[in-house]
Amino acid sequence: MALPVAFFAVFFAYPVAAIVGRGLKVDGAWQLGRVRDVLVESDIRHVLWFTTWQALASTALTLLIALPGAYVFARFDFPGRHVLRAVVTVPFVLPTVVVGTAFLALVGRGGLLDDLWGVRLDTTVWAILLAHVFFNYAVVVRTVGGLWAQLDPRQEEAARMLGASRSRAWRTVTLPALGPAVAAAALMVFLFTFTSFGVVQILGGPTFSTLEVEIYRQTSEVFDLSTAAVLTIVQFVAVGAILAVHAWTVRRRESALRLVDPAVTARRPRGAGQWTLLAGVVASIAVLLLLPLAVLVQRSLDTADFGYYRALTHDDGGTFLVPPIAAIGNSLEYAVAATAIAVVIGGLAAAALTRRDAGRLVRGFDALLMLPLGVSAVTVGFGFLISLDKPPLDLRSSWILVPLAQALVGVPFVVRTMLPVLRAVDGRLREAAAVLGASPWRVWREVDLPLVRRALLIAAGFAFAVSLGEFGATVFIARPDNPTLPVAVARLLSRPGDLNYGQAMALSTILMLVCAVALLVLERLRTDRTGEF
């Protein structure tokens, strides 16, 4: 645990504490009254209200649309099921900047709806809600569908034989069993939408602002660190409460269910009703998930001879100090370095958490590992700038700063992927190897590594995908001559002109394709034990 604890202490706790302290301390004295002053401001209360209700609305809408999909993937066996499952997961690993850009191409100025019917939904709450459904659809399908596929259907059939109607059998037998999984999925969707940044930043315009967007505005535009610090504390408390409830629901889900092999529960649809349900789910996936991505690609090809893509190779002397195409190489290099860091830190943490003699403090660290997913990435990025500025940790001009920030987001995915597999390794195998004289390092190399190699590759793939798309922290610390793809897209969208807009679409398409390829590789490696998140 020494290296993971040191990593999180130096590169997460210290930067966050530094920026909060900078904002709430004046002449060395804490200004706790500032917390009350900020929270009573009408603009801040409006931000808090919008952040909460849009997260609740996004969660409800995502569950309403995605639960039928979870049932279809869990219970139906149809041609192309595994490919469609991978397609459904693509939006989840896409950077939020790409998601916002895709919906901007669909509902924004000059978008598909604008061209066909003169309808624009950007800068409206509906664009934000639909983008959140797009992003979180896979969370419900994977979390709920993964458990649904393993529930024994004979329990519901027994209730039917005892006289229960189909709806009553589902309500009294299946729904209670799915309850913890639905709650866990709902909490994760609420967490991701509560802390939404890229989607709201692009689609919300000046009208709508979440806590994360307001922290960014107060930090980078207004330069009001005290307000940003208060909002950071509010978000930190809210995220901590959400993660605590999520951990409780996960323990309930793992407690006392008798599960079966998912391969024996899926069957071909039978009857007009089931085929209609399957067709409806496929149609909803096509409209909500595939159409925005297709429009994004189409907008990037609006000019002849791939004009927007060719423009990426030229330096316009304004938006970037280098040609925008350089962002591709920068992002790949940073993501590889961040993946290596995340795999080492996350792998060590997962190995420590699987030990039977791990104390309560070590087990508590498991929950803390999830905090980077919910705590303001903007705060972390700006905290890097103001805290890592003195020897021996003066890293402001070092290239490693970006991978370190990206690795913070990748570590939770590594831990969540590897932990179930490491816990499943029979401890007697390790004991037998130790009795035969193997050192602890050799036991890991000869016993654990062969069993967890596939999970390790999957963890590395997820870490690579999320590192590639990290935006909130990177936007602060990426140097102007070394922009990443998400930062480059955001800069292009912030400038007027069709050429900048088209280049943003082209870069987003490239980023989408890289993430999709990474995900398809993961889907080939996936097993039923390691594939759920």
Side-chain angles (χ1 to χ4, degrees), residues 194-411:
F194 187 84
T195 58
S196 182
F197 176 56
V199 167
V200 181
Q201 176 81 350
I202 292 175
L203 296 176
T207 308
F208 301 108
S209 179
T210 57
L211 269 173
E212 186 83 352
V213 175
E214 187 63 20
I215 291 171
Y216 175 78
R217 191 180 76 83
Q218 294 290 340
T219 303
S220 63
E221 297 177 11
V222 183
F223 302 107
D224 186 350
L225 289 185
S226 63
T227 299
V230 172
L231 296 180
T232 297
I233 294 172
V234 171
Q235 183 165 311
F236 186 86
V237 172
V239 167
I242 295 169
L243 290 176
V245 177
H246 179 264
W248 178 71
T249 59
V250 168
R251 284 196 297 269
R252 283 189 59 203
R253 186 180 66 176
E254 293 175 345
S255 58
L257 287 177
R258 191 164 60 88
L259 306 178
V260 297
D261 186 352
V264 304
T265 62
R267 52 178 172 76
R268 290 186 67 82
R270 291 180 295 190
Q274 293 187 353
W275 281 107
T276 301
L277 176 61
L278 175 59
V281 169
V282 172
S284 67
I285 291 173
V287 172
L288 286 174
L289 305 187
L290 296 182
L291 182 60
L293 299 180
V295 173
L296 174 65
V297 175
Q298 185 269 327
R299 290 297 184 221
S300 74
L301 298 172
D302 263 356
T303 58
D305 300 325
F306 302 96
Y308 292 142
Y309 289 91
R310 291 168 59 191
L312 296 176
T313 62
H314 303 296
D315 180 10
D316 64 359
T319 309
F320 302 101
L321 300 179
V322 294
I325 197 71
I328 300 174
N330 295 336
S331 288
L332 292 175
E333 291 174 1
Y334 287 145
V336 169
T339 301
I341 296 170
V343 167
V344 172
I345 300 298
L348 289 173
L353 291 169
T354 56
R355 291 182 60 90
R356 294 180 180 177
D357 57 348
R360 184 173 299 177
L361 184 62
V362 173
R363 291 193 297 269
F365 187 64
D366 185 17
L368 296 179
L369 290 171
M370 295 291 289
L371 282 177
L373 292 181
V375 172
S376 171
V378 171
T379 300
V380 174
F382 196 66
F384 269 35
L385 292 181
I386 67 172
S387 62
L388 304 179
D389 60 343
K390 298 177 182 177
L393 285 175
D394 186 1
L395 302 177
R396 288 176 301 174
S397 59
S398 174
W399 67 272
I400 197 63
L401 203 60
V402 174
L404 287 171
Q406 294 174 343
L408 281 172
V409 184
V411 167

Side-chain angles (χ1 to χ4, degrees), residues 121-177:
L121 295 178
D122 60 324
T123 70
T124 70
V125 72
W126 279 108
I128 295 172
L129 296 181
L130 291 175
H132 284 162
V133 173
F134 171 92
F135 187 75
N136 293 292
Y137 187 96
V139 175
V140 177
V141 169
R142 292 272 186 166
T143 305
V144 180
L147 178 62
W148 210 334
Q150 298 180 74
L151 291 181
D152 193 344
R154 292 173 296 184
Q155 299 178 33
E156 191 172 320
E157 293 168 2
R160 294 288 308 280
M161 291 180 63
L162 292 173
S165 63
R166 184 182 297 274
S167 62
R168 185 179 180 187
W170 184 84
R171 190 175 63 254
T172 58
V173 177
T174 304
L175 184 59

Side-chain angles (χ1 to χ4, degrees), residues 73 81-94 134-139 141-142 285 289-290 293 462 465 515-516 519-520 522-523 526 531-533:
F73 282 104
R81 175 170 170 248
H82 294 294
V83 174
L84 192 62
R85 178 187 172 96
V87 169
V88 163
T89 315
V90 167
F92 181 75
V93 299
L94 285 180
F134 171 92
F135 187 75
N136 293 292
Y137 187 96
V139 175
V141 169
R142 292 272 186 166
I285 291 173
L289 305 187
L290 296 182
L293 299 180
F462 270 120
C515 290
L519 182 68
L520 289 173
L522 291 181
E523 189 66 20
R526 186 186 64 83
E532 307 305 329
F533 49 77

